[in-house]
Amino acid sequence: MYIRSIVLEGFKSYAQRTEVNDFDPLFNAITGLNGSGKSNILDSICFLLGITNLSQVRASNLQDLVYKNGQAGITKASVSITFDNFEKKQSPLGFENHDEITVTRQVVIGGRNKYLINGVNANNTRVQDLFCSVGLNVNNPHFLIMQGRITKVLNMKPPEILAMIEEAAGTRMYECKKLAAQKTIEKKEAKLKEICTILEEEITPTLQKLKEKVVREIEHLNRLYVAYQFTIAEETKLHSADVLKEMESSISKLQEEMTENEKKVKELSKAISEMEKKRDQECGDALHSLEEALAVVQRTDTKVESTLAIKKQNLQSEENKRKELVKAMEEDSKALALKEKEVKNLRDALSVLQEENNKDIEALAAAQQHFNAVSAGLSSSEDGEDATLAGQMMTCKNDISKAETEAKQAQMKLNHAQKELKTKQSEVKKMDGGYKKDQESFEAAKKQKEKLEHEMKKLNYEDKKEEHLLEKQKELSRVVNRLRESYETFLARFPNLRFEYRNPETSWNPDRVKGLVASLITVKDVSTATALEVVAGGRLYNVVVDTEVTGKKLLEKGELKRRYTIIPLNKISSRCIGKETIKVAKNLVGDDNVNLALSLVGYDSEIQKAMEYVFGQALVCDNMDNAKRVTFDKRIMSKTVTLGGDTFDPQGTLSGGTG
């Protein structure tokens, strides 16, 4: 790696942008008049390499490096050096894929200082690692050999000579990093020991004491809980004993009352039986016939109520069944006819009772006339014999009382029969209303059924179709789970294919990140997969984005899980083997035996430049003999890879084998 060009702008005596070119890879000398800026070029190289001792570049601070200390209107000093990186064996770590490396360092009045590598911001440590990996350590006291330093080098002691050799070989950087890592480990171990002692001496005893205290508190609470349960049990025992005594006393009182009530019931039953005998004797056959009629009416009433209850139960149980509902409707219609017959019977009985009432009224009028005749002394006994006035009055009073009682009883029966008739009529009306409601609900259910059947026909409903769909859904979910598991195992085998990031901004457009190169291509022929993987190398896992701004945001705020190389489509410089060269190669070994690697993959046109950058500089041959002929042909001289993965480089290297 050697310098191709140096660009200075605002650095010391170079106020305007000045570019120095045509450096030789082996030896260079700078000549010129005094004060022309020869030493400033060397100072700019040391400044870019990151020198810390500014006295070697004749400055006390970074501000002194700006043209006239910024007093001439120039407030920034910038130095850019372009290194040739064509020799990949001597390339810095991580830059094997770059043919040129441009490092820029800028300093602004006020102390702001920054580095850029290939146009991307970098910190001081990364720049120092880049130069130290190729043996360039500007802070090595032997990096610059001034006048009079040669004799000191010759008189160096062995440790000093070893340090100088390590600096030249580039291993000193790792020794410094090793010492720094050892110091960090020692600090961490001391901190760990301190934490362990704190745990053993302070935290663990405190935790043990707290644990013992908690155990004692739990035991104390358990004892209190047992004592509380015991006291509650004792209280409930005493209370239940008192309640038991009260209940026993109340039971004895109730038993005494029951015996007294039984005696009273017996006495009342005797009195009732005696009164019934007297009533039977007084009322006679008329009361008996009326009671029988009342009993008949009650039996018919109970029959009607029982049939009505049965019909209600049938209606409730047969609402959801169409055929049974029709039968129930027919039965209800029959029951309605029976009820109408019964109502007619009741009306007939009512008319009979009314006739009996009229007869009683006529008897009452005849008795009244007889009474008037008796009061006038013109009556005779029923046998036709003359009776005394007192006797006739007694018989008339008895007849009048009997007639009044019979009239009252007949009137009561008439009122009762009228009430029964009204209740039956209201029940018949309710049954008619219920029948109409049942008929309407039946018609509505029938229409709903027809509507549902019509909708099912529109939906092409089939029996067990839902079960088949559910089974199909379960089968598809199982397939998805198997595919997810295979995807996870595949990513576990090839972790480089996993690319995940977090949106750097709230309004982030995911289309700006195209993805890994490996996920953006399709291999046209599986037999060329190994060759294409070798051609792409590490670039196969690079990330393609639209611009360098997207790449910067992705690196800074994307929370990437590992290091990635970004390929911005607007900045990447792609080179591809020309069509004439490919034509020469095909003529040399045959059209089907050699192909451009780029032509063996499929991709979107918008990522053309990225694909040319990855696959455009290598050829793929079918075997090693053809690859060797194509690689070392003077007209081609391009990198060639065989289908088995063996690589031929025009510089003379050959790589291959199984790994």
Side-chain angles (χ1 to χ4, degrees), residues 100-118:
E100 291 183 353
I101 301 173
T102 301
V103 182
T104 304
R105 185 179 183 185
Q106 296 177 354
V107 62
V108 183
I109 294 295
R112 186 181 175 188
N113 180 26
K114 71 174 181 178
Y115 284 96
L116 290 93
I117 300 176
N118 290 336

Side-chain angles (χ1 to χ4, degrees), residues 146-310:
M146 301 293 185
Q147 293 178 356
R149 293 281 298 173
I150 298 175
T151 56
K152 289 184 179 181
V153 172
L154 294 174
N155 294 327
M156 281 184 180
K157 295 180 181 179
E160 296 176 346
I161 295 172
L162 178 62
M164 185 174 66
I165 293 171
E166 287 178 349
E167 291 288 349
T171 59
R172 189 68 180 173
M173 173 184 66
Y174 301 106
E175 189 68 27
C176 294
K177 288 187 177 182
K178 177 184 174 183
L179 294 174
Q182 288 178 348
K183 289 180 181 179
T184 304
I185 291 170
E186 290 176 358
K187 290 180 181 179
K188 298 296 182 184
E189 287 180 350
K191 191 69 176 177
L192 182 63
K193 288 180 181 178
E194 183 180 355
I195 291 170
C196 291
T197 53
I198 291 171
L199 283 171
E200 292 176 356
E201 295 177 0
E202 297 180 5
I203 296 175
T204 304
T206 305
L207 286 174
Q208 191 66 28
K209 290 179 181 178
L210 290 172
K211 185 177 179 181
E212 293 174 355
K213 185 178 180 181
V214 169
V215 170
R216 289 195 297 271
E217 290 290 334
I218 291 171
E219 291 178 353
H220 179 64
L221 290 172
N222 284 331
R223 293 193 192 96
L224 290 174
Y225 179 75
V226 171
Y228 175 74
Q229 292 290 334
F230 179 76
T231 53
I232 289 173
E234 287 293 329
E235 290 177 357
T236 52
K237 179 181 175 183
L238 296 172
H239 181 67
S240 27
D242 296 336
V243 171
L244 182 61
K245 289 179 181 178
E246 291 178 358
M247 291 177 69
E248 287 177 351
S249 61
S250 62
I251 288 168
S252 61
K253 290 180 181 179
L254 289 171
Q255 287 178 351
E256 292 176 356
E257 291 178 358
M258 284 175 67
T259 53
E260 292 179 358
N261 290 329
E262 286 177 356
K263 291 178 181 179
K264 290 180 180 180
V265 167
K266 290 179 180 179
E267 291 176 356
L268 290 171
S269 61
K270 289 179 180 179
I272 289 168
S273 61
E274 290 177 357
M275 290 174 70
E276 285 178 352
K277 288 178 181 179
K278 290 179 181 179
R279 185 193 63 186
D280 293 337
Q281 291 176 0
E282 291 176 354
C283 295
D285 296 333
L287 182 60
H288 183 68
S289 61
L290 290 172
E291 284 179 353
E292 288 180 354
L294 181 61
V296 170
V297 173
Q298 288 178 350
R299 283 196 296 273
T300 55
D301 186 30
T302 53
K303 287 181 182 180
V304 171
E305 288 179 353
S306 63
T307 53
L308 182 62
I310 291 168

